[in-house]
């Protein structure tokens, strides 16, 4: 079971992040705290797998991160950033810092970043010159576990643009959408009306196309390239052979 502590001074944003984290894994234990927890003299008992630490500027990063390391002793730390000057690598950062995610990132990006860091990866996304249309808090919707498989809706032209942008087939894009939502392979097959073996084959080919080796890396790679991972409604494509043609 992964233990995650979210240190965020804004109570509503903290609550939203905690509820989004319930969609990361059914066996995740989460705790929410504000900056006052960093002032305590006694370290927190028990093990902490991940601290998600809110930082408003690069200048305060080292101080807050060192305090969080002292109190919680986390295996890894993911920064929740409001700043535009965050580094692109771990060089010069406290050893437990494995990356950062912008506070105006979409819920899908935040969840993918958490999964990636928990899996032992790092998360230092490239800066984008275009700000997100909506901040994380305004896009937050309460989530329930276990999720009920359903097909998210997105415009056909948006889906077509995304699978072409990623260099994958429409079917591989559908698989990627379901993987991003944390569904097991059996559920992916059921949603797409294909066998588990076929779903696995599409997944392996998808990984090769994106040059990754697992689900978390595939989702992170896709969203880093600008994909929103909504459900595609693709017209004019009858099967994978047509898509490959």
């Amino acid at each position: 079971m992964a233990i995650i502590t979210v240190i965020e001074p804004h109570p509503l944003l903290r609550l939203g992040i905690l509820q989004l984290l319930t969609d990361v894994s059914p066996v995740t234990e989460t705790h929410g705290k504000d900056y006052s927890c960093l002032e305590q003299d006694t370290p927190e008992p028990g093990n902490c797998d991940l601290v998600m630490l809110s930082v408003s500027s690069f200048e305060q990063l080292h101080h807050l991160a060192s305090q969080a390391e002292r109190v919680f002793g986390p295996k890894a730390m993911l920064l929740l950033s409001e700043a535009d000057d965050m580094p692109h690598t771990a060089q010069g950062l406290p050893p437990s810092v494995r990356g950062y995610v912008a506070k105006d990132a979409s819920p899908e990006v935040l969840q993918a970043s958490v999964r990636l860091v928990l899996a032992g990866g790092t998360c230092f996304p490239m800066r984008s010159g275009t700000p997100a249309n909506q901040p994380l808090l305004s896009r937050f919707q309460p989530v329930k576990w276990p999720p009920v498989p359903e097909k998210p809706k997105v415009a056909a032209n948006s889906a077509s643009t995304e699978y072409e942008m990623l260099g994958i087939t429409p079917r591989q894009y559908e698989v990627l959408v379901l993987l991003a939502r944390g569904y097991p392979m059996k559920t992916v097959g059921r949603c797409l009306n294909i066998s588990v073996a076929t779903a696995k084959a599409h997944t392996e080919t998808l990984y090769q196309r994106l040059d990754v080796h697992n689900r978390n890396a595939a989702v992170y790679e896709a969203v880093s390239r600008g994909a929103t991972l909504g459900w595609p409604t693709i017209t004019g494509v009858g099967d994978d052979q047509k898509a490959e043609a």
Side-chain angles (χ1 to χ4, degrees):
M1 178 177 66
I3 300 176
I4 304 176
T5 298
V6 178
I7 304 176
E8 165 58 54
H10 192 298
L12 290 180
L13 182 55
R14 184 169 66 243
L15 176 62
I17 293 172
L18 288 172
Q19 294 209 34
L20 285 172
L21 291 177
T22 64
D23 206 20
V24 171
S25 169
V27 289
T28 298
E29 178 182 328
T30 58
H31 305 276
K33 299 180 180 293
D34 58 24
Y35 284 152
S36 63
C37 71
L38 301 178
E39 300 173 1
Q40 64 189 52
D41 297 327
T42 306
E44 287 283 323
N47 298 321
C48 180
D49 295 287
L50 175 65
V51 163
M52 299 180 68
L53 176 64
S54 173
V55 292
S56 58
S57 67
F58 181 73
E59 287 73 18
Q60 67 172 182
L61 188 161
H62 285 272
H63 173 69
L64 292 176
S66 62
Q67 290 291 86
E69 286 183 335
R70 178 184 62 82
V71 175
F72 296 98
K75 297 177 182 177
M77 194 179 306
L78 181 65
L79 305 177
L80 298 168
S81 172
E82 297 177 0
D84 296 326
D85 57 349
M86 298 300 289
H88 289 301
T89 69
Q91 185 175 1
L93 297 178
S96 64
V97 174
R98 302 295 171 80
Y100 73 92
V101 59
K103 287 188 179 182
D104 60 2
S106 70
E108 291 83 4
V109 171
L110 183 142
Q111 291 167 343
S113 301
V114 170
R115 291 189 183 107
L116 182 63
V117 172
L118 285 175
T122 57
C123 174
F124 291 94
M126 296 179 63
R127 291 194 190 95
S128 172
T130 304
N133 293 330
Q134 292 177 291
L136 175 63
L137 183 59
S138 67
R139 298 180 63 167
F140 160 70
Q141 295 291 336
V143 294
K144 297 181 180 180
W145 190 271
V148 178
E150 60 179 353
K151 296 182 178 181
K153 297 180 180 179
V154 71
N157 58 348
S158 174
S160 299
T161 300
E162 289 198 0
Y163 82 76
E164 292 171 351
M165 173 186 66
L166 296 173
I168 60 179
T169 68
R171 178 63 87 191
Q172 290 162 4
Y173 182 80
E174 292 172 340
V175 170
L176 179 59
V177 168
L178 294 173
L179 293 177
R181 281 153 178 75
Y183 296 151
M185 203 59 63
K186 183 181 294 185
T187 304
V188 172
R190 185 167 66 248
C191 287
L192 299 179
N193 197 27
I194 58 178
S195 68
V196 174
T198 301
K200 288 181 178 179
H202 283 306
T203 302
E204 290 301 321
T205 306
L206 169 68
Y207 291 167
Q208 293 175 11
R209 293 284 183 91
L210 296 180
D211 193 24
V212 297
H213 302 288
N214 57 57
R215 174 199 302 251
N216 295 329
V219 174
Y220 183 73
E221 178 66 20
V223 296
S224 295
R225 296 187 191 182
T228 60
L229 300 184
W231 185 268
T233 304
I234 301 168
T235 58
V237 179
D239 50 38
D240 291 334
Q241 285 73 28
K242 291 182 181 180
E244 296 282 357

